[in-house]
Amino acid sequence: EVQLVQSGAEVKKPGESLKISCKGSGYSFTSYWIGWVRQMPGKGLEWMGIIYPGDSDTRYSPSFQGQVTISADKSISTAYLQWSSLKASDTAMYYCARLPAGQQLVKNWFDPWGQGTLVTVSS
Amino acid sequence: QSVLTQPPSVSGAPGQRVTISCTGSSSNIGAGYDVHWYQQLPGTAPKLLIYGNSNRPSGVPDRFSGSKSGTSASLAITGLQAEDEADYYCQSYDSSLWVVFGGGTKLTVL
């Protein structure tokens, strides 16, 4: 069974750094894109970026470029989303999801999704 | 402002048919790129409902169907049930932005 398991909820202060994780299992981790999606409280889904663990090719949404860093460690089948200096506006649920239709982005979609990691940033 | 436009809410009585629209532009849906749909039940992660415009993953009831025409796509739900009450999102590829989502539609079962 293809599964993505995310790290647990985090409570941080503004200005702190954070790295959350997403561990894939049940498939060849290096052969599929993994994406990150933000959902702010009561709001819709926002695509943040994607990474292809096979060669670490990474693409960012213009809205998130420079705001976060996406990385992957293929030796442990894990993708990461990190912030160097959190803001209160980063408070949200963050989901990772696999793109199952191979290396081509054009025809791809998100499935399955991780369970989500809630990040709360408050002083 | 989402690149793909969905109605904020739709509603229907049990047993009825509802449709949710997803309108894009010439750089995404109108360029021929596929549309995918997700269902998000309250308090849970999104789940794939339709991929490649009209394909259902195994386990998704055939009450759910998708279609695409021109710069728009639609999700139809027939035989509405109480457990269909959820948020629904469309997603496509955009030639400038790569991945784009609709703003989401809240379905209320009356």
Side-chain angles (χ1 to χ4, degrees):
Chain A
E1 177 198 6
V2 176
Q3 203 171 8
L4 297 174
V5 177
Q6 299 184 229
S7 49
E10 302 274 2
V11 179
K12 292 289 190 179
K13 291 182 170 19
E16 291 186 331
S17 63
L18 175 64
K19 191 173 190 177
I20 62 176
S21 67
C22 168
K23 183 172 175 61
S25 63
Y27 72 100
S28 174
F29 185 75
T30 55
S31 300
Y32 297 88
W33 293 91
I34 291 245
W36 287 94
V37 176
R38 182 176 79 173
Q39 187 167 40
M40 299 178 76
K43 301 298 184 183
L45 304 176
E46 300 174 89
W47 172 68
M48 301 176 73
I50 49 175
I51 186 166
Y52 190 78
D55 59 9
S56 294
D57 184 6
T58 308
R59 318 274 176 94
Y60 292 93
S61 161
S63 299
F64 292 93
Q65 178 83 47
Q67 308 304 308
V68 296
T69 301
I70 293 171
S71 61
D73 184 341
K74 54 189 180 185
S75 70
I76 55 172
S77 302
T78 300
Y80 301 97
L81 177 65
Q82 69 181 86
W83 296 260
S84 58
S85 180
L86 286 160
K87 302 185 280 285
S89 57
D90 293 318
T91 294
M93 181 71 82
Y94 294 88
Y95 295 102
C96 66
R98 189 185 78 154
L99 284 74
Q103 199 165 1
Q104 275 208 335
L105 284 179
V106 172
K107 285 186 173 294
N108 238 316
W109 57 91
F110 295 93
D111 182 56
W113 294 62
Q115 82 276 21
T117 295
L118 180 62
V119 174
T120 303
V121 184
S122 174
S123 54
Chain B
Q1 208 89 349
S2 300
V3 173
L4 303 180
T5 301
Q6 298 180 233
S9 63
V10 298
S11 63
Q16 283 190 333
R17 178 181 187 268
V18 296
T19 61
I20 298 172
S21 61
C22 174
T23 303
S25 68
S26 58
S27 65
N28 41 70
I29 300 175
Y33 298 128
D34 287 347
V35 178
H36 321 290
W37 292 90
Y38 304 89
Q39 178 192 58
Q40 187 176 31
L41 297 169
T44 69
K47 171 192 145 187
L48 179 69
L49 200 60
I50 297 285
Y51 67 94
N53 304 316
S54 58
N55 301 291
R56 280 187 310 276
S58 62
V60 173
D62 60 7
R63 301 186 297 103
F64 296 90
S65 63
S67 63
K68 190 188 94 165
S69 178
T71 57
S72 294
S74 288
L75 173 71
I77 310 172
T78 58
L80 207 55
Q81 299 180 3
E83 59 259 37
D84 298 334
E85 191 158 287
D87 294 323
Y88 293 84
Y89 295 90
C90 59
Q91 176 246 313
S92 186
Y93 178 89
D94 185 277
S95 54
S96 300
L97 302 171
W98 292 306
V99 176
V100 286
F101 281 103
T105 299
K106 181 176 181 61
L107 169 63
T108 300
V109 181
L110 302 171

